Amino acid sequence: MLRRSQVPWLVTALGLALVVPAGVSDASVQPRVAAPSAPGQVVTVPGWKLQTSKTATQGGATLSSPTYDDGSWTSVPARSTVMGGLVAAGKYGDLNYSTNLKNVGKSDFSVPWWYRETFSATPAAGSHTFLRLTNGIIGGSEIWLNGTKIGTTDNGAYPAHEFDVTGALKTGTNALAVKVSPADPKKQLSISWVDWTQLPPDNNMGIWRDVQLAESGSVTVRNTRVVTSVAGDLKSADLTIKAEVTNNTGAAVTTTVAGTVDKTAFTQQVSLTANQTKTVSIAQHLTNPKVWWPYEMGDQPLYHLALNASVDGKVSDSAATDFGVRDVKSAMKDGAMSFTVNGKPFLVRGGGWASDLFLRYDAQKLGDQMDYVRDLGLNTIRLEGKEENDELYEIADKLGIMVMPGWECCSYWQSYGSWQAADHTVAKASAVTEGLRLRNHPSILGFYIGSDTAPPAAVEKDYLDGLKVSDWQAPVISSAAKATSPQTGPSGNKMDGPYWFIPPNYWYGNQLGGAFGFASEVGPGPTIPDADALKQYLSPAELSDLWQNGSKAQYHLSPSGEFSKLGSFLTALGKRYGTPKSLDDFVSKAQMTNYEVNRAQFEAFGRNQSKASKPATGVIYWMLNNPWPTLYWHLYDYSMQPSGSYFGAKAGLRPLHVQYSYDDRSVALVNTGLDAKAGLSVQTTVFNTDGTVKSDTTQSGVTAKGNASTTLDKVANPSGLSATYFVRLLLKDSSGAVVDRNVYWLSTKPDTLKYDSSTWYDTPQTAYADLSGLQNLGTGKVDVAASTTTSGDRSTTSVKLTNSGSKVAFFLRATIRKGASGGEVAPITWSDDYVTIWPGESVTLQADYRTAELGGAQANVQVAGVNVAAKTVAAAPR
């Protein structure tokens, strides 16, 4: 953490004498946590009592008195914005349903709120206790301890603060009170949600990250970090271990800094004058280092660094961090940003991350979401202005998922002309804090210092100077848009849309958001959850409007005019698939639409990575998830029930994948692994909707190049095709086993686009593919066999689907249900879903989930398709 002696803009303790105010309760107050009692120990405040200043009208001196009675205040978790805390305490109804969120009174958050906690302490002679705010308090704050005003914080969301509270600490019960001011993302370097979702009524004011008490002796250790330099052949690495050591006394002192990395020990003597801070720098060399890779390319080993500072043979403070040995670089390729990891080209295929709307921390849901990232086949997530808690980066390190954090668009972060001197201070401190917090994580791919614009020279200098404090090594990117800043230069990114519906062939075009260069945020807009999820969030009237009234604004779409109505999506749905006849029909057609267009997006960028000219270097799907239940911009919805968006993307992101090209009908193989795969064959079959085989060919002796795409023969275009038809691709290994299977539903009539009428978010269509034949497939028949095995707290259900009829069984969706009539189990990962099988064909699907999600019920499997009636079977234990 940062100290005033290291960074001049952080606030220090005032050192006032403890005053016990008059008029407080004489009631005995039991402290709720104990302060650290040994050097190097850190205790996190475990929770708070919360109250509005409309009710708690006394000043900080009174409210921070250990004898003040806060029994009527609301108990909230440790990381709680005001709304987040009130929601956790059950103060509101279901804010996810219908327009309930709109009914929360914003005036409640136009005044300050108080946070309060008590703790016991037994200060020892010569010890020092520090109060740490791991990030800024949103809205700004006053900090009070035992009747003494310790200091204030600015209104930035990110700058860390540390206060030496030794002089205000007392033996026995202590009370900490924090007065939080209202937040305004239009006037503060805070947090905003732009057009992602309906907005939180409190603007996220409050304590959103950990508050800690840390104990030390006369010398403290802070900002432990490791600078790595990896040899090109990866056979050695040089480490520079750095940390700041500070003498907290008025007399000179000598400290011994000792540590270990991978069982190698080292020491260094450091002499400090009174109240001096020095940076310790210790060199280490690794032979044959354990190199960290993104998961598609290799393993994710981590090293552990432990440091301590001793004075007169006694430990005064200690610190530790994990880090990875890897090399990340960026360069321009035909004007586009491109990355290498450990010298190997790295095609970014990721999604835009959204934090919870109230910035609540849920460890289980965070882990589930990161598991979804891996299951989808994504290799990167991009964070825009909500840099998330430490746990996300720790999981990313372990799972091998790259992360691209950065600052926010469309708020005060980009209102550079309105900034005052204090804003520049906050901006620099934000970069210092986030740089020190993130720089040791091998999962960091780069940092965006601008989003929709690049920062001007003075602001760019603030950010770069701030990152330099942390010895930042990952690439720094000037903007997520096509823009340039004076020092960082051109971004190599493009942000040309789309953000709203476009058909699959759009991605194969050579304009705007097509699959070339680095697209920092693009996606096909509306992403409709399955009916189970929709009914959790929408009223009957909203459900009716959803499929019948595309011109009506939906509250669960965006608050912005561009994205508040389904409009063109509903038009395209009707023209391509046929006008929806019911809610279920609409949902079914939406899943087909979301599946085909999401698959095409990732497939196009995967294929085009190996083009000689204007190759694809990266794409971030906009977005990965939602902060609150919405009907657009996600690969999985808020309920965590994966649907068409999810499985279309998952199909297009398979590690060894055979795919169809919408522009030239070619077949391509995409291999995300570093090693080539030989001895493969590709069977391509073209079917009419009645099941007639119009073409069936096999290309043998195929090799999928490593970390690249390989273009194969074109799909036949035989005469006599029905207006809607199918292409099935089977990738087989040398033994004939199927390793990848894809089915495309196509039309002899193409989708066409009017590029010259494009806006920043949309390219309109002028003609539509004819996929209406999918409504006239005839009745399909599928046999379902299912069984479940359980190991520990996990269950795996195996589902075998066999087409026992005479018609194609199209777009079969399997779900695990809680008993015979219960809801859908989620979160859950499937090997595949929404599959299409022809007469005599079988596929086996596997689902993995927490056994507890069944709620004690029997696992059942429900299977339904476009032309196959729903069927439910028991998945009996095996």
Side-chain angles (χ1 to χ4, degrees):
M1 290 298 126
L2 308 178
R3 293 179 47 82
R4 189 173 190 270
S5 57
Q6 298 163 351
V7 186
W9 53 86
L10 297 184
V11 184
T12 58
L14 299 182
L16 303 180
L18 178 63
V19 177
V20 178
V24 298
S25 169
D26 291 329
S28 175
V29 178
Q30 285 296 112
R32 291 184 278 263
V33 65
S37 58
Q41 285 188 354
V42 177
V43 171
T44 299
V45 174
W48 300 96
K49 289 297 191 75
L50 179 68
Q51 186 60 272
T52 174
S53 63
K54 291 180 181 179
T55 301
T57 57
Q58 307 95 323
T62 298
L63 298 177
S64 67
S65 167
T67 56
Y68 177 82
D69 184 1
D70 62 9
S72 64
W73 289 30
T74 300
S75 296
V76 300
R79 303 172 184 174
S80 287
T81 63
V82 174
M83 271 291 293
L86 295 175
V87 170
K91 298 298 183 181
Y92 301 103
D94 182 1
L95 295 183
N96 293 333
Y97 184 73
S98 189
T99 59
N100 288 351
L101 181 62
K102 185 163 59 175
N103 299 326
V104 176
K106 293 185 179 180
S107 63
D108 291 344
F109 312 106
S110 62
V111 300
W113 283 69
W114 283 95
Y115 290 74
R116 188 176 188 276
E117 181 58 292
T118 56
F119 62 93
S120 63
T122 53
S127 67
H128 290 260
T129 302
F130 297 85
L131 178 68
R132 293 179 179 173
L133 278 61
T134 57
N135 271 105
I137 293 175
I138 298 174
S141 71
E142 294 178 5
I143 314 290
W144 292 79
L145 179 63
N146 296 335
T148 297
K149 185 178 180 181
I150 298 301
T152 61
T153 66
D154 47 54
N155 54 34
Y158 293 102
H161 299 265
E162 181 170 281
F163 308 94
D164 188 336
V165 297
T166 306
L169 209 62
K170 56 180 285 187
T171 299
T173 300
N174 293 256
L176 174 66
V178 182
K179 182 182 181 181
V180 177
S181 300
D184 187 349
K186 295 180 180 178
K187 297 179 181 179
Q188 301 168 345
L189 296 178
S190 182
I191 281 178
S192 170
W193 299 92
V194 196
D195 52 7
W196 300 12
T197 176
Q198 299 297 338
L199 308 180
D202 68 339
N203 285 326
N204 297 126
M205 67 181 293
I207 299 174
W208 66 304
R209 292 254 173 89
D210 287 339
V211 175
Q212 298 173 331
L213 293 164
E215 188 83 357
S216 78
S218 58
V219 173
T220 54
V221 179
R222 298 290 185 266
N223 310 329
T224 305
R225 55 201 186 273
V226 182
V227 180
T228 59
S229 178
V230 187
D233 60 6
L234 307 182
K235 293 183 178 180
S236 65
D238 290 313
L239 311 180
T240 304
I241 297 159
K242 289 189 171 186
E244 272 70 61
V245 290
T246 297
N247 179 4
N248 298 293
T249 73
V253 67
T254 297
T255 182
T256 301
V257 177
T260 58
V261 170
D262 196 32
K263 299 180 181 179
T264 300
F266 51 84
T267 61
Q268 187 176 106
Q269 294 284 105
V270 182
S271 296
L272 299 167
T273 59
N275 301 307
Q276 184 184 21
T277 295
K278 281 186 178 180
T279 298
V280 175
S281 183
I282 302 169
Q284 292 286 287
H285 181 76
L286 297 177
T287 302
N288 296 319
K290 297 175 287 186
V291 177
W292 188 97
W293 291 91
Y295 74 89
E296 296 168 315
M297 297 176 163
D299 297 328
Q300 295 78 51
L302 294 173
Y303 285 89
H304 184 72
L305 165 65
L307 279 182
N308 65 63
S310 299
V311 177
D312 296 330
K314 294 182 179 180
V315 172
S316 179
D317 200 10
S318 60
T321 186
D322 290 333
F323 66 97
V325 173
R326 61 95 176 94
D327 177 70
V328 170
K329 288 185 171 63
S330 66
M332 290 295 172
K333 183 181 290 187
D334 282 3
M337 178 176 71
S338 64
F339 289 95
T340 60
V341 178
N342 300 325
K344 301 296 183 181
F346 180 73
L347 173 67
V348 171
R349 294 199 289 180
W353 177 268
S355 302
D356 177 80
L357 183 62
F358 307 120
L359 303 182
R360 293 169 293 184
Y361 172 62
D362 182 332
Q364 181 169 282
K365 187 169 184 179
L366 175 62
D368 290 338
Q369 291 190 86
M370 295 297 280
D371 285 343
Y372 269 9
V373 173
R374 273 282 298 258
D375 182 64
L376 276 161
L378 298 171
N379 58 26
T380 305
I381 58 175
R382 178 182 165 219
L383 315 180
E384 186 185 305
K386 300 162 192 67
E387 309 308 347
E388 269 293 349
N389 297 301
D390 293 341
E391 289 87 351
L392 180 142
Y393 303 95
E394 292 166 1
I395 295 171
D397 291 344
K398 293 174 182 176
L399 293 182
I401 297 166
M402 304 305 290
V403 185
M404 301 182 75
W407 306 131
E408 206 165 82
C409 90
C410 316
S411 63
Y412 198 65
W413 287 93
Q414 290 185 178
S415 300
Y416 305 119
S418 301
W419 282 23
Q420 306 297 312
D423 297 312
H424 287 272
T425 297
V426 170
K428 183 176 181 179
S430 298
V432 170
T433 296
E434 291 305 287
L436 288 168
R437 194 170 71 92
L438 303 181
R439 61 103 50 239
N440 285 335
H441 291 285
S443 55
I444 298 298
L445 186 63
F447 194 97
Y448 283 102
I449 57 172
S451 180
D452 292 23
T453 61
V459 177
E460 180 186 37
K461 185 176 187 304
D462 291 335
Y463 292 144
L464 295 180
D465 287 351
L467 289 172
K468 186 177 180 180
V469 171
S470 70
D471 295 291
W472 186 264
Q473 288 186 280
V476 178
I477 309 150
S478 59
S479 175
K482 185 179 181 180
T484 299
S485 58
Q487 292 188 61
T488 309
S491 68
N493 282 228
K494 65 176 183 176
M495 192 188 282
D496 297 324
Y499 295 88
W500 211 237
F501 177 75
I502 40 81
N505 63 343
Y506 174 96
W507 302 111
Y508 289 84
N510 59 4
Q511 301 182 57
L512 300 176
F516 60 92
F518 194 99
S520 61
E521 47 181 69
V522 288
T527 38
I528 307 301
D530 265 344
D532 276 22
L534 287 174
K535 291 172 183 177
Q536 291 180 32
Y537 308 134
L538 302 187
S539 69
E542 289 166 330
L543 289 169
S544 179
D545 285 334
L546 189 63
W547 65 278
Q548 296 183 93
N549 195 347
S551 63
K552 185 172 182 179
Q554 285 272 351
Y555 189 68
H556 283 260
L557 286 170
S558 174
S560 70
E562 293 89 351
F563 310 122
S564 62
K565 306 176 183 70
L566 284 182
S568 60
F569 175 76
L570 201 55
T571 298
L573 203 70
K575 288 186 177 292
R576 298 177 84 244
Y577 285 97
T579 302
K581 302 178 182 66
S582 65
L583 175 64
D584 287 342
D585 188 40
F586 164 76
V587 170
S588 175
K589 289 171 178 173
Q591 302 316 310
M592 289 185 274
T593 300
N594 292 156
Y595 187 107
E596 59 167 342
V597 70
N598 282 4
R599 176 174 60 179
Q601 176 173 341
F602 286 112
E603 287 181 338
F605 278 85
R607 185 198 73 172
N608 288 357
Q609 67 180 304
S610 296
K611 288 180 65 176
S613 175
K614 295 182 70 176
T617 59
V619 60
I620 299 294
Y621 182 95
W622 205 247
M623 298 178 71
L624 171 66
N625 58 341
N626 296 136
W628 178 80
T630 64
L631 308 173
Y632 67 124
W633 293 356
H634 63 248
L635 290 175
Y636 55 88
D637 84 281
Y638 193 80
S639 73
M640 299 288 288
Q641 295 174 7
S643 55
S645 296
Y646 187 102
F647 288 104
K650 179 180 170 74
L653 288 162
R654 289 177 188 142
L656 184 60
H657 179 53
V658 61
Q659 60 189 55
Y660 170 82
S661 301
Y662 280 84
D663 56 347
D664 62 5
R665 301 182 66 85
S666 65
V667 174
L669 280 179
V670 175
N671 180 8
T672 63
L674 293 179
D675 298 327
K677 301 292 185 181
L680 305 173
S681 64
V682 175
Q683 181 182 359
T684 303
T685 310
V686 182
F687 300 88
N688 272 348
T689 50
D690 64 2
T692 305
V693 175
K694 303 298 293 182
S695 173
D696 188 30
T697 60
T698 297
Q699 186 172 352
S700 302
V702 173
T703 297
K705 292 180 287 189
N707 196 26
S709 65
T710 305
T711 301
L712 305 178
D713 294 343
K714 293 186 177 182
V715 174
N717 192 13
S719 60
L721 285 176
S722 50
T724 306
Y725 65 96
F726 296 105
V727 170
R728 183 187 65 193
L729 301 176
L730 300 178
L731 177 66
K732 302 177 183 180
D733 63 18
S734 58
S735 69
V738 175
V739 294
D740 189 36
R741 182 182 188 278
N742 270 286
V743 174
Y744 297 81
W745 45 101
L746 303 170
S747 173
T748 56
K749 181 184 176 183
D751 291 295
T752 59
L753 295 146
K754 192 175 183 181
Y755 281 99
D756 59 3
S757 296
S758 296
T759 64
W760 63 270
Y761 64 92
D762 187 31
T763 296
Q765 279 189 255
T766 56
Y768 299 85
D770 180 6
L771 300 172
S772 60
L774 298 172
Q775 299 183 95
N776 304 300
L777 296 173
T779 302
K781 183 180 179 182
V782 173
D783 295 335
V784 182
S787 62
T788 299
T789 60
T790 299
S791 177
D793 62 350
R794 308 292 301 183
S795 287
T796 299
T797 296
S798 179
V799 182
K800 185 177 181 180
L801 306 177
T802 302
N803 187 333
S804 56
S806 60
K807 306 293 184 181
V808 61
F810 177 59
F811 212 57
L812 298 169
R813 169 74 162 123
T815 56
I816 306 298
R817 299 280 166 171
K818 304 171 187 177
S821 58
E824 183 178 340
V825 169
I828 188 169
T829 57
W830 284 89
S831 58
D832 197 6
D833 216 341
Y834 291 105
V835 295
T836 297
I837 53 177
W838 275 266
E841 261 195 317
S842 295
V843 296
T844 299
L845 314 177
Q846 285 200 324
D848 180 76
Y849 50 94
R850 276 188 297 273
T851 307
E853 299 296 340
L854 289 168
Q858 162 79 51
N860 277 256
V861 176
Q862 184 181 91
V863 176
V866 168
N867 65 325
V868 177
K871 175 186 292 188
T872 301
V873 302
R878 182 171 59 191

